[in-house]
Amino acid sequence: MPASAAAEDFLAEPHIATLTTLRPDGSPHVVAVRFTWDARAGLARVLTVDTTRKARNLTAGPGGRAALCQAVGFRWVTLEGSATVHDAPERVAEGVRRYTARYGTPPPAPPGRVVIEISVDRFTRLNLP
């Protein structure tokens, strides 16, 4: 988990991040996403649609890992851990609630919306105490 208030403050800023998952052939798939960080639960959340490559990568390999990296200038934080895809309405609603609070507007609501939850067990940062 983040060890400093500066890192937590940085993660609260409404930036985008890159999400890296692994394709079935082991090659990395990297995409820009909006996300939320729940320090208390140790969860990063990304809303998406079940047919996206990132969601398909994770459902193809249950227990797979993912990494989110938020970078601004020479500051960055990477949140890494095991990732799962959920379509349970209460989990998706929690993702929507947190997204709306962070970015100031609700996310799109396409059919097949799911939430990727990353249980963060590795945290790295640069130029944040």
Side-chain angles (χ1 to χ4, degrees):
M1 300 308 133
S4 72
E8 289 291 345
D9 290 346
F10 179 66
L11 285 169
E13 295 172 8
H15 300 297
I16 63 169
T18 58
L19 172 67
T20 303
T21 59
L22 297 178
R23 294 181 182 98
D25 68 4
S27 64
H29 172 71
V30 183
V31 62
V33 295
R34 287 183 165 193
F35 75 101
T36 62
W37 168 237
D38 178 352
R40 181 169 290 158
L43 285 177
R45 293 178 177 90
V46 175
L47 292 166
T48 190
V49 176
D50 57 3
T51 57
T52 61
R53 169 52 53 202
K54 57 188 166 282
R56 291 189 342 253
N57 287 344
L58 294 169
T59 55
R65 294 186 61 80
L68 274 167
C69 182
Q70 176 175 292
V72 178
F74 292 106
R75 300 178 303 155
W76 59 261
V77 170
T78 299
L79 304 171
E80 186 180 333
S82 59
T84 53
V85 178
H86 299 280
D87 62 1
E90 65 278 3
R91 289 182 115 129
V92 173
E94 182 64 10
V96 168
R97 184 186 74 74
R98 290 177 177 278
Y99 178 107
T100 302
R102 178 176 170 138
Y103 293 105
T105 60
R113 183 164 62 185
V114 294
V115 63
I116 295 170
E117 293 181 354
I118 302 168
S119 181
V120 175
D121 59 22
R122 183 175 295 161
F123 173 86
T124 55
R125 66 184 183 263
L126 179 70
N127 291 326
L128 291 162

